[in-house]
Amino acid sequence: MLYMDGIGISFLLKEIKEKIINYKLTKIYQYDKSSLSFYFGKNNLLFQVKDNSTICYLKNEKDLNTDFQSKFLLSLKKYILNSILINIRQEDYDRIVYFDFEKLNQFGDIEKYTLIFEIMGRASNIFLTSQGKILSALYFSSFDEGNRIIMTGAKYVLPFEEKKISPAYLEKENFPFESPEDFINKIEGVGKTFSKECFSDYNIFKKYISEYEAVMYESKKQKIMTYNRFSEYSENDFISFSSVNEGLNEYFKTTITSNVINEKKKVLLKYIDSQTKKFEKILKNINIDLNKNKNYDNYKKIGDILAANMHVLKQGM
């Protein structure tokens, strides 16, 4: 399980900025429908859009090149390959991240593009925009989604209309809130776990919004990667990391490996189960045949006697 709300993403973006701002985008690869890499020199910025594991981070290991092609990949290469990443910014503390690119065209004019990464669970998406209009998207929609249209040429509109209070402007007099749910409904970018920790105490809130410690908890059922120590998970063993990005690398390395093993295990168990059922059926049929032919020796003797006396038999007997 990956717990990264808008607060955690803000810490992650600070780490990423230090590595790739003002670097040229030299390579773009797409591995499947939901993951792709941007290479800034040797730095591999991996985008992953997979339900509750949607995130972007600097992956330590180099991914294998791929022949996967898509319209979105072709658009990315056409517009922003060899451009300079000039800024990474967040929609206040919400789970929307903007990557601003600039490049010189053949006439010497500066062209500006923005890649917008919406980290919204199952509704997550990546948009390539210019001057506020959608040039391409990882996932298009043929119908209106609430207050916006997702198609080429349409104006990019945020996926929400309601504006909440930014954590940056939250004052002590606002505390305590009635409940974690009340905190979520009023404050921008916070998740359930953060809200449970901070809704009743301003000092705890200030600490959790300004300091962080990347932690991976390990329960009996799953690993939980997050950006701070939360009392909700305190009963579990944990490992601390020097950065959120380092923690994400270790988390995905271990979970992907275990997922691959589990998938292979499922295939093998399915094969064993089908073979077991097959041979159980054969054994059952063998027992039926044995029971049906239990007097075989007696019938053989009668048959041998009849065969030996065929010459005695006459027509009609």
Side-chain angles (χ1 to χ4, degrees):
M1 171 185 162
L2 182 63
Y3 177 73
M4 289 290 290
D5 57 16
I7 310 299
I9 289 169
S10 69
F11 295 135
L12 174 62
L13 294 180
K14 288 178 183 176
E15 297 175 0
I16 293 175
K17 277 184 177 182
E18 294 176 0
K19 301 286 186 179
I20 60 175
I21 285 291
N22 295 323
Y23 275 70
K24 180 185 285 190
L25 176 57
T26 55
K27 297 175 185 175
I28 306 174
Y29 295 117
Q30 188 169 358
Y31 305 105
D32 51 41
K33 291 181 179 180
S34 59
S35 59
L36 51 98
S37 281
F38 284 13
Y39 277 86
F40 298 90
K42 294 182 179 179
N43 292 308
N44 173 14
L45 180 62
L46 179 71
F47 290 86
Q48 183 170 284
V49 185
K50 294 181 179 178
D51 295 343
N52 294 326
S53 293
T54 298
I55 199 70
C56 65
Y57 67 102
L58 292 171
K59 188 172 181 180
N60 294 336
E61 296 179 356
K62 183 180 178 180
D63 289 303
L64 296 174
N65 294 350
T66 173
D67 293 328
F68 189 92
Q69 295 291 331
S70 70
K71 289 183 179 179
F72 184 56
L73 177 63
L74 293 174
S75 294
L76 293 175
K77 288 183 176 180
K78 176 181 177 182
Y79 292 109
I80 62 173
L81 189 63
N82 294 319
S83 62
I84 305 296
L85 178 63
I86 60 168
N87 195 18
I88 301 174
R89 51 196 170 89
Q90 192 175 359
E91 182 69 30
D92 288 331
Y93 274 90
D94 223 313
R95 292 175 298 163
I96 298 176
V97 184
Y98 302 91
F99 296 84
D100 296 322
F101 293 89
E102 286 186 356
K103 68 185 290 189
L104 286 174
N105 63 20
Q106 58 186 342
F107 304 109
D109 299 321
I110 296 176
E111 295 180 346
K112 297 183 179 182
Y113 303 95
T114 300
L115 191 79
I116 305 173
F117 187 25
E118 295 182 353
I119 306 171
M120 301 285 177
R122 292 185 178 180
S124 298
N125 207 344
I126 304 176
F127 299 88
L128 178 63
T129 67
S130 179
Q131 297 179 347
K133 292 187 177 181
I134 299 171
L135 298 177
S136 188
L138 187 64
Y139 300 115
F140 276 112
S141 176
S142 58
F143 54 89
D144 291 8
E145 288 194 358
N147 64 328
R148 62 182 188 165
I149 300 171
I150 299 176
M151 61 183 294
T152 302
K155 181 182 178 183
Y156 174 78
V157 179
L158 290 169
F160 49 80
E161 293 180 348
E162 182 185 3
K163 199 69 177 173
K164 299 181 181 181
I165 301 171
S166 170
Y169 302 114
L170 198 55
E171 300 294 340
K172 191 171 184 177
E173 53 264 27
N174 297 111
F175 283 79
F177 286 80
E178 293 179 6
S179 64
E181 290 73 24
D182 181 43
F183 192 75
I184 289 173
N185 291 334
K186 293 178 179 177
I187 307 304
E188 183 182 55
V190 298
K192 290 182 180 178
T193 301
F194 182 92
S195 299
K196 287 178 184 177
E197 198 77 35
C198 303
F199 80 97
S200 62
D201 193 314
Y202 177 75
N203 292 326
I204 294 175
F205 164 76
K206 288 298 288 184
K207 178 183 176 182
Y208 273 72
I209 201 171
S210 58
E211 302 173 10
Y212 69 100
E213 178 185 357
V215 177
M216 183 164 66
Y217 293 95
E218 188 162 1
S219 67
K220 292 180 180 179
K221 294 182 180 179
Q222 62 182 344
K223 295 180 188 295
I224 304 163
M225 178 64 212
T226 185
Y227 61 91
N228 227 323
R229 294 195 194 189
F230 292 105
S231 54
E232 181 178 343
Y233 310 126
S234 59
E235 294 180 359
N236 302 309
D237 295 331
F238 67 89
I239 305 170
S240 293
F241 301 94
S242 60
S243 67
V244 177
N245 197 79
E246 182 191 349
L248 288 169
N249 272 278
E250 183 61 26
Y251 171 75
F252 284 113
K253 183 179 177 181
T254 54
T255 54
I256 288 172
T257 300
S258 61
N259 287 339
V260 169
I261 291 171
N262 287 334
E263 287 300 317
K264 289 184 178 180
K265 181 181 175 183
K266 284 180 184 178
V267 172
L268 288 171
L269 286 174
K270 186 177 179 181
Y271 174 76
I272 291 169
D273 185 57
S274 65
Q275 291 297 303
T276 301
K277 288 178 180 178
K278 174 184 172 182
F279 289 118
E280 283 177 348
K281 185 176 181 181
I282 290 171
L283 281 172
K284 183 180 178 181
N285 291 334
I286 286 173
N287 289 328
I288 292 171
D289 290 340
L290 286 171
N291 189 51
K292 188 188 294 183
N293 299 311
K294 62 183 177 180
N295 293 320
Y296 169 79
D297 289 337
N298 189 38
Y299 289 133
K300 185 175 184 302
K301 288 179 183 178
I302 294 170
D304 288 342
I305 292 169
L306 287 171
N309 291 279
M310 287 289 288
H311 64 283
V312 179
L313 298 175
K314 300 205 188 304
Q315 190 174 0
M317 289 179 66

